[in-house]
């Protein structure tokens, strides 16, 4: 399928209109696949969901209750575990490396909306990638904001809001996470 200028701008991290027809179509497709999986979490439905992702390593598992914005910008390494009711707004790439554990209801936001109300009403936005490195652990209910990298083996405590990069091996907690 040919992709619009807005799609191309989105994947380059530039300002784009989220209301472009191909963006709406991709969001609808991933919502249908997610809904199938969430209603009846089977290996077949998970495989169909994974087909929409950029790439998925072996031994990845997702619990039901998943919400994904596009899927096409999601990369999962080997042995990633995603617990129930997680949200991935992947307007920019969300890269999750090997052996990452993600607690229930964790949220990953790459999307940034315009501060100007008129621009926001027109659907103008941009996005910044998120990278979760090998063996990191994201606690339940944590929120990871746009442009964040979580280091190798780092731990984000449950309920934390991550506004800055997290160093390898660090433990962060709170709002904002420190």
């Amino acid at each position: 399928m040919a992709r619009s200028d807005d799609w191309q701008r989105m994947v380059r991290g530039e300002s784009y209109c989220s209301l472009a027809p191909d963006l709406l179509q991709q969001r609808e497709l991933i919502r249908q696949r997610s809904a199938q999986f969430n209603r009846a979490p089977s290996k077949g439905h998970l495989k169909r969901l994974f087909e929409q992702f950029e790439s998925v390593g072996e031994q990845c598992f997702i619990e039901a209750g998943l919400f994904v914005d596009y899927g096409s910008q999601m990369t999962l390494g080997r042995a990633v575990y995603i617990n129930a009711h997680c949200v991935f707004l992947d307007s920019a790439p969300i890269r999750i490396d090997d052996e990452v554990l993600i607690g229930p209801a964790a949220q990953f936001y790459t999307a940034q909306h315009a501060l100007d109300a008129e621009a926001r009403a027109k659907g103008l936005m941009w996005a910044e990638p998120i990278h979760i490195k090998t063996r990191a652990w994201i606690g339940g209910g944590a929120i990871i904001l746009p442009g964040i990298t979580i280091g190798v083996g780092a731990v984000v405590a449950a309920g934390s809001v991550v506004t800055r990069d997290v160093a390898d091996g660090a433990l962060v907690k709170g709002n904002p996470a420190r």
Side-chain angles (χ1 to χ4, degrees), residues 102-169:
I102 299 174
Q107 301 169 54
F108 300 79
Y109 304 151
T110 66
Q112 296 268 24
H113 296 276
L115 296 178
D116 176 72
E118 288 188 34
R120 219 174 24 254
K122 293 176 185 174
L124 296 178
M125 55 193 314
W126 73 98
E128 298 176 38
I130 292 173
H131 185 187
I132 312 299
K133 293 186 177 181
T134 301
R135 293 190 175 164
W137 177 17
I138 310 300
I143 298 173
I144 312 300
L145 295 181
I148 298 298
T149 296
I150 306 294
V152 173
V155 176
V156 175
S160 297
V161 178
V162 181
T163 61
R164 292 182 228 180
D165 289 349
V166 177
D168 292 351

Side-chain angles (χ1 to χ4, degrees), residues 9-89:
R9 284 193 292 271
M10 179 184 80
V11 299
R12 288 192 306 258
E14 300 169 2
S15 180
Y16 67 96
C17 178
S18 63
L19 304 175
D22 59 337
L23 294 173
L24 294 171
Q25 182 180 16
Q26 179 64 27
R27 288 197 305 269
E28 179 58 28
L29 176 60
I30 196 70
R31 283 186 178 93
Q32 289 173 7
R33 299 272 172 103
S34 297
Q36 279 182 322
F37 171 72
N38 291 334
R39 270 193 313 273
S42 67
K43 286 183 181 181
H45 287 150
L46 183 59
K47 181 181 178 186
R48 285 189 55 154
L49 179 66
F50 282 163
E51 288 171 354
Q52 297 304 303
F53 287 18
E54 177 72 22
S55 67
V56 177
E58 295 178 2
Q59 301 176 327
C60 289
F61 189 78
I62 298 177
E63 300 287 353
L66 179 73
F67 182 90
V68 178
D69 219 10
Y70 293 99
S72 59
Q73 303 242 64
M74 292 283 299
T75 301
L76 303 181
R78 185 184 57 74
V80 171
Y81 176 76
I82 299 172
N83 211 320
H85 305 291
C86 290
V87 173
F88 296 89
L89 302 185

